[in-house]
Amino acid sequence: MENLGTLPPERMTEFFSGSAGIEFTGESRTERYAWLQSMLIEQKYFSLGKKQRGVIRALMAKVAGLS
């Protein structure tokens, strides 16, 4: 999960579409939320456009196992 934060949103789309049959889970709720927070900071989420935020949000939901 650590390497996903360095991907640009365009590459996240490729990863997301290629991992359709894969299910990801984290160790604990605390670990998942810490990862989500670091992902938002690394991607500068709040300064991105609507489409890019949607891609990041979808990827984070899949990887963290949260909706």
Side-chain angles (χ1 to χ4, degrees):
M1 282 192 335
E2 295 85 21
N3 295 337
L4 290 176
T6 60
L7 289 176
E10 300 79 33
R11 296 288 312 255
M12 286 182 190
T13 304
E14 294 171 14
F15 174 81
F16 188 64
S17 63
S19 64
I22 300 172
E23 190 171 317
F24 301 93
T25 57
E27 290 291 319
S28 68
R29 175 178 263 187
T30 305
E31 180 184 83
R32 286 183 279 175
Y33 280 112
W35 178 78
L36 290 170
Q37 183 178 13
S38 69
M39 180 80 161
L40 292 173
I41 292 168
E42 287 177 21
Q43 291 295 322
K44 298 179 178 127
Y45 178 81
F46 297 104
S47 65
L48 296 174
K50 190 173 185 177
K51 275 187 152 183
Q52 293 172 324
R53 286 193 317 256
V55 169
I56 292 171
R57 208 171 34 252
L59 180 75
M60 290 187 329
K62 180 169 182 79
V63 172
L66 302 170
S67 59

